[in-house]
Amino acid sequence: MYDISVFTDLLNTLDLTLSDTQIQQFMTYYEILIERNKVMNLTAITEYEEVIHKHFIDSLSITKVYESKENIKVIDMGTGAGFPGIPLKIAFPNWNITLLDSLNKRVNFLNDVINQLKLTNITAIHGRAEDYGKDSHYRENYDLCVSRAVAKLSTLSEYCLPYVKVNGYFIPYKAGNIDSEVKESKKAIHILGGTLEKVEQFQLPNTDMERSLIVIKKTNHTPNQYPRSSGKPSREPIC
C-alpha cells in the first residue's frame, strides 16, 4: 500500500485537490508504469516517491502559470510514457488531450493506460511532429501545447507552435538554467507566430530538480512552410 499523503501534501503546494477516484487513477498509473518498465524503457525514475515528485507533481506544476479552463484542447508533444499529458488528463478530466509520440510501442503502452484508467476524450497517436503539424485536423487546432521533450527551445518551438491556435499557449517544461536557450530561441518563436510572455523558474518540492516553465502565447498564424520536413528543425534550427 502506498503512502497517499506524500502525494496529497504535494498537491496542496499546487492548490490542487483531487477526488479519491483521481488519486487511485494516479496510483494505478504508477503500478502500470513500473510493471511495463520491466520489459520496455519508459523511465529511469521508478521509486514511488521519486515518481510522485519528478513525474506526477512536475507534470501538474503547469498550474503555476496556466489557469485551468473547461473543455480545452491540449496536445502533449513527444509524450513518452505520458508525461505531462496523462497526469493533466487525470487532474483535469474535462480537458480533451492528444498524446503524440514517434515510437509505436510507447503509443501502445499509452493506450493500455488510457483503457485501464477508463479515461475518455484522450487519444494517443503515433507519428512525427513535422508530419501532423501540416495536417489541417491538427494544425492550429489546440488551445494549449505542452512538452517535456529534451530538444532545444528553438527546435521545440518549430515542432509545437504550428499546433497552437492564435491566442492559445505553448508551454514547454525545461530543466536547469535555460536563460541562454531562451535568448537564442527568441527569433524562432517570433517567426513561428509566438510571443514569449514569461519564464517561471522554481525547484520541485523536496528535490534538487530545477524546473522552468516557458509561457509562449500564439499571437500570429505560423507561416505555411513550418514545420519543415523531417529532421530539419533539429539539424538546422531557426536562429
Side-chain angles (χ1 to χ4, degrees):
M1 188 65 183
Y2 306 114
D3 183 358
I4 303 298
S5 67
V6 172
F7 189 30
T8 54
D9 288 349
L10 289 166
L11 289 171
N12 288 336
T13 69
L14 298 174
D15 293 323
L16 281 175
T17 302
L18 302 183
S19 69
D20 291 344
T21 299
Q22 289 169 302
I23 297 289
Q24 186 54 54
Q25 285 177 314
F26 272 104
M27 297 303 107
T28 302
Y29 183 20
Y30 171 71
E31 290 172 352
I32 301 169
L33 177 70
I34 298 310
E35 188 60 33
R36 289 291 290 275
N37 200 61
K38 294 174 183 176
V39 294
M40 60 184 293
N41 183 26
L42 292 167
T43 177
I45 298 168
T46 56
E47 193 271 325
Y48 171 71
E49 290 197 18
E50 271 205 296
V51 171
I52 294 295
H53 285 84
K54 296 182 179 180
H55 283 326
F56 294 170
I57 293 299
D58 182 43
S59 294
L60 298 175
S61 66
I62 195 173
T63 57
K64 290 177 174 288
V65 296
Y66 189 83
E67 185 177 347
S68 173
K69 303 175 180 68
E70 293 290 305
N71 303 318
I72 62 168
K73 292 187 70 174
V74 182
I75 186 165
D76 177 7
M77 194 65 60
T79 185
F83 304 115
I86 287 179
L88 292 175
K89 179 62 189 179
I90 297 171
F92 305 110
N94 290 323
W95 288 12
N96 188 319
I97 294 186
T98 301
L99 308 171
L100 178 61
D101 198 83
S102 61
L103 197 61
N104 199 43
K105 66 179 182 179
R106 283 198 293 255
V107 172
N108 291 335
F109 163 76
L110 296 169
N111 280 322
D112 286 345
V113 173
I114 289 166
N115 291 332
Q116 290 192 52
L117 300 187
K118 297 181 171 59
L119 301 175
T120 58
N121 292 321
I122 180 169
T123 306
I125 56 175
H126 170 235
R128 299 181 67 91
E130 301 98 313
D131 298 328
Y132 280 103
K134 296 284 192 181
D135 187 324
S136 61
H137 291 97
Y138 298 90
R139 187 178 180 88
E140 297 197 333
N141 197 34
Y142 292 91
D143 302 288
L144 173 65
C145 176
V146 293
S147 182
R148 291 206 317 174
V150 295
K152 288 277 191 178
L153 183 57
S154 55
T155 298
L156 201 55
S157 296
E158 185 170 349
Y159 288 142
C160 294
L161 276 168
Y163 289 83
V164 181
K165 297 175 181 176
V166 172
N167 294 320
Y169 284 88
F170 166 43
I171 304 179
Y173 297 57
K174 294 297 241 173
N177 188 326
I178 44 83
D179 292 347
S180 61
E181 187 177 334
V182 170
K183 185 176 180 180
E184 290 166 4
S185 70
K186 284 184 176 178
K187 180 179 178 181
I189 291 169
H190 175 73
I191 287 172
L192 295 160
T195 299
L196 178 65
E197 284 200 344
K198 65 182 291 190
V199 178
E200 182 80 12
Q201 296 181 303
F202 57 96
Q203 190 164 325
L204 284 175
N206 304 323
T207 75
D208 58 358
M209 187 171 167
E210 300 288 338
R211 174 57 84 200
S212 295
L213 294 170
I214 303 166
V215 182
I216 299 168
K217 185 173 184 177
K218 183 75 169 278
T219 48
N220 291 292
H221 294 288
T222 300
N224 289 334
Q225 66 264 40
Y226 300 108
R228 290 168 293 167
S229 59
S230 180
K232 272 200 171 182
S234 55
R235 288 196 311 270
E236 303 169 22
I238 302 167
C239 58

